[in-house]
Amino acid sequence: MSVYSMTGYATVQSSTAQSALETESSPDANSRLGVEIRSVNSRFLDLAFRLPDELRQAEPALRELLTGQLKRGKVEVRVSLESTSASNLRAPSSATLQRLGSLEDSIKSWLPQAAALSVADVLRLATNEDKKPHDHSPELLKLAKKTLTELMAAREREGARLADMLLDRTGQLRALAKLAVPMVPKLVEQQKARFLERWKEAMALSESATLPEIAQDRALTEATAFAIRIDVAEEITRLSSHLDEIDRLLADGGELGKRLDFLIQELHREANTLGSKSASLELTRISVDMKVLIEQIREQVQNIE
């Protein structure tokens, strides 16, 4: 499966043309329908619809369509409907004009001061009277499916880019861990030598004198305690295990954003522990570099579905 980003954008427009009979009876039969879908990251799936009033009835079907493919993200769906007819002005039918005249006479009999209908009023009322609404729902759903397909393709392309970036960062973390492993034994040997030297100075022994066995044992004990205190083998092992799991999830794809979030927290914990055990400037720098890389991973994981 692919890795999908929660960030994406797609828009599709289509002209809907009806028959001559439908066009004659419905001035908006020839129209341009547009669907725009944009999405950004979110912890859950959050859908928002911006639909014209005449298409409100299609919202449940659109919601079902989107929830069937999208799992997370803040998604906004905008639908536009524009008439492409040369003119919406049509000659009112005789029946319509007769009905408007009758209504006007009836109103004036009760309200003599009422203003007479203007030509603009007649055209507007006659257009609404003659208009037979056209159901655009089938065209809308068909166009929404196409737009959703393009959105998923955009999210997949962005997801592939994010996956490549994450794999690059996990590779850098492994390289830093590899640098840290041989530093600990070297530090232990250096500390052991320091302990022995301090014991020599404390006992005011010359370089030719033989260090008492008890002093050597004490130095070895101190060196062993120091080695245990700065040992980061477990942290490096766990960190490598987490990195392997991240690589596996990226290879498998699918809905993995929340699992990656958990693994990033574990990586932060191991890097912090490594830094707290640091007994040299080099190890401290490695810990800091790891934290920088992990933070870069965390920022990008927020965009993965």
Side-chain angles (χ1 to χ4, degrees):
M1 295 178 66
S2 301
V3 175
Y4 288 94
S5 168
M6 285 186 282
T7 302
Y9 175 82
T11 180
V12 178
Q13 289 190 347
S14 175
S15 296
T16 59
Q18 306 303 318
S19 66
L21 181 60
E22 289 177 310
T23 302
E24 181 68 23
S25 62
S26 179
D28 68 342
N30 289 331
S31 56
R32 180 180 294 108
L33 190 62
V35 177
E36 175 186 295
I37 306 178
R38 63 176 72 236
S39 65
V40 294
N41 60 317
S42 176
R43 292 185 61 189
F44 308 101
L45 181 60
D46 182 8
L47 301 178
F49 295 91
R50 304 289 184 267
L51 307 177
D53 291 339
E54 57 266 39
L55 294 174
R56 286 291 180 187
Q57 73 277 7
E59 181 175 330
L62 290 174
R63 185 177 297 273
E64 182 180 358
L65 175 65
L66 267 64
T67 54
Q69 294 198 45
L70 303 177
K71 304 303 179 185
R72 294 176 65 198
K74 183 177 178 60
V75 183
E76 183 181 50
V77 181
R78 289 182 178 270
V79 177
S80 60
L81 180 62
E82 300 176 358
S83 174
T84 58
S85 300
S87 174
N88 285 333
L89 297 178
R90 298 180 179 275
S93 65
S94 300
T96 299
L97 290 175
Q98 184 177 2
R99 177 173 173 78
L100 289 175
S102 175
L103 288 172
E104 183 180 26
D105 292 340
S106 176
I107 292 173
K108 281 193 171 185
S109 67
W110 288 94
L111 302 172
Q113 293 79 21
L117 287 173
S118 66
V119 174
D121 292 334
V122 171
L123 288 174
R124 175 173 54 81
L125 294 172
T127 299
N128 292 335
E129 177 77 13
D130 292 340
K131 185 184 295 184
K132 294 180 181 179
H134 174 71
D135 184 10
H136 292 279
S137 297
E139 295 96 333
L140 174 58
L141 290 178
K142 182 178 180 180
L143 199 62
K145 289 179 181 179
K146 184 177 180 180
T147 310
L148 180 58
T149 299
E150 293 192 7
L151 176 72
M152 295 301 294
R155 287 169 57 133
E156 183 177 7
R157 289 192 298 270
E158 178 66 13
R161 187 190 68 80
L162 291 176
D164 289 340
M165 189 281 290
L166 294 179
L167 290 173
D168 174 72
R169 299 303 187 273
T170 57
Q172 293 185 48
L173 284 171
R174 281 194 178 88
L176 289 173
K178 189 175 181 180
L179 288 175
V181 170
M183 288 184 179
V184 174
K186 187 184 297 185
L187 288 172
V188 172
E189 289 299 320
Q190 292 174 355
Q191 193 65 19
K192 177 181 176 182
R194 291 194 192 100
F195 284 142
L196 291 172
E197 184 65 27
R198 288 171 184 172
W199 275 104
K200 286 181 181 180
E201 294 174 357
M203 299 178 68
L205 296 175
S206 64
E207 294 184 0
S208 59
T210 301
L211 186 67
E213 183 177 350
I214 187 173
Q216 290 184 346
D217 291 342
R218 181 63 183 273
L220 290 175
T221 300
E222 293 290 343
T224 300
F226 175 78
I228 294 174
R229 192 164 60 250
I230 69 168
D231 184 26
V232 294
E234 288 187 17
E235 286 75 16
I236 296 297
T237 299
R238 286 195 293 266
L239 187 142
S240 298
S241 176
H242 297 328
L243 292 175
D244 290 341
E245 182 64 11
I246 290 175
D247 289 351
R248 185 191 68 79
L249 290 174
L250 292 173
D252 292 344
E255 188 180 352
L256 49 88
K258 292 183 179 179
R259 284 178 287 178
L260 288 176
D261 278 337
F262 172 76
L263 290 170
I264 299 308
Q265 295 176 21
E266 296 302 307
L267 286 177
H268 263 299
R269 180 175 300 146
E270 304 307 334
N272 284 332
T273 304
L274 189 147
S276 65
K277 288 186 174 182
S278 175
S280 70
L281 183 59
E282 290 80 3
L283 271 176
T284 300
R285 287 173 177 170
I286 287 177
S287 174
V288 172
D289 290 342
M290 282 184 172
K291 292 178 183 179
V292 171
L293 289 171
I294 293 170
E295 182 61 22
Q296 291 175 359
I297 293 175
R298 187 194 66 79
E299 291 176 355
Q300 298 305 320
V301 163
Q302 302 306 309
N303 293 319
I304 294 180
E305 187 176 58

